[in-house]
Amino acid sequence: KREYDLSVDELKGAAEAGTQVQGRLRVLKAESLGLMEECTTQFYYESEALKARVAALEEENTDLREKVTTLQANKTWLETKYKEARTKEAEAHEANFTLVKKQQRTLSELEAARKTDAQLRADVNRLQQDLKNAETTIDNKVKELQEENQKHQNMVPKEVHMELKEQLARMKKLKDELQRKLRLK
């Protein structure tokens, strides 16, 4: 209001200086009064709305305080349950850890047994192959010997005959040894 009065005084001084300014001052004064009335009305409505809002917020605040009390009680109960759950979790974790250790140990033993089994199977297969090769070699040598015997039935010198017999004996011995190894595996 003070600024308004100062403005009015300044405008009066200017109005004395000229009639145009005086006419403008009257228009400005009328508009200012209209705006002041409008502002006052607006302030009244906003004030009433804010009072209603404050009342609603106070009621909401009361409700929220009740909820906070309930939530604090629930929080205390949940904290107790949480501590109990953490204790059970630690116990379960320890039991699970022990089981995992046992499982890993069992898996290691199983893997070692599988490797041993695979190695034994490979050895058996190799020995069987060696036996087949030896039998084939023996059979081939026997056939060769029979063919040679048929060709030179009476013509074979004694040294050659003895050498072939020794070779046949060695082959049979090798065959017997390979069969024995195969049975051991």
Side-chain angles (χ1 to χ4, degrees):
K1 176 151 178 146
R2 211 168 156 198
E3 287 181 26
Y4 173 77
D5 290 339
L6 287 174
S7 296
V8 170
D9 289 342
E10 282 180 23
L11 288 175
K12 282 183 185 178
E16 291 173 10
T19 56
Q20 287 182 346
V21 175
Q22 200 172 26
R24 284 186 188 168
L25 180 60
R26 286 182 190 144
V27 170
L28 183 60
K29 185 177 179 181
E31 286 178 359
S32 293
L33 288 176
L35 285 174
M36 282 194 57
E37 286 175 5
E38 216 175 284
C39 286
T40 304
T41 304
Q42 184 76 20
F43 176 76
Y44 174 76
Y45 287 128
E46 285 181 15
S47 174
E48 290 299 315
L50 288 175
K51 284 179 186 177
R53 182 163 165 90
V54 165
L57 288 174
E58 284 178 355
E59 185 177 324
E60 185 179 340
N61 189 22
T62 304
D63 291 343
L64 289 175
R65 285 178 195 263
E66 290 173 4
K67 286 181 181 178
V68 165
T69 305
T70 304
L71 289 175
Q72 285 175 340
N74 285 343
K75 177 187 171 199
T76 304
W77 181 79
L78 288 173
E79 285 174 345
T80 305
K81 290 297 181 183
Y82 175 76
K83 287 177 184 176
E84 290 173 4
R86 291 294 287 177
T87 304
K88 287 179 182 177
E89 176 194 17
E91 292 169 358
H93 178 72
E94 184 64 32
N96 191 26
F97 184 72
T98 303
L99 288 174
V100 168
K101 280 177 134 179
K102 287 180 182 178
Q103 180 188 17
Q104 288 175 343
R105 187 174 40 249
T106 304
L107 288 175
S108 312
E109 292 170 359
L110 178 62
E111 189 61 32
R114 284 182 181 163
K115 285 181 182 178
T116 303
D117 183 52
Q119 183 63 39
L120 289 174
R121 286 177 191 247
D123 289 346
V124 167
N125 287 337
R126 183 181 49 78
L127 289 173
Q128 285 177 341
Q129 188 63 38
D130 288 348
L131 178 62
K132 284 180 185 176
N133 290 339
E135 286 176 348
T136 304
T137 303
I138 289 171
D139 289 343
N140 288 340
K141 292 294 179 183
V142 168
K143 285 180 185 175
E144 287 177 16
L145 186 60
Q146 286 174 353
E147 287 174 5
E148 286 296 319
N149 277 340
Q150 285 178 359
K151 286 182 186 176
H152 306 286
Q153 214 169 23
N154 291 330
M155 299 171 106
V156 176
K158 191 173 184 176
E159 297 89 30
V160 173
H161 181 68
M162 293 304 279
E163 184 180 316
L164 288 174
K165 272 184 158 181
E166 287 175 9
Q167 190 176 14
L168 180 62
R170 281 192 311 250
M171 290 295 174
K172 284 183 180 180
K173 189 177 179 181
L174 177 63
K175 176 184 171 187
D176 291 340
E177 184 180 320
L178 288 174
Q179 283 179 338
R180 184 181 56 79
K181 284 182 180 180
L182 180 63
R183 284 187 209 117
L184 290 175
K185 292 284 181 164

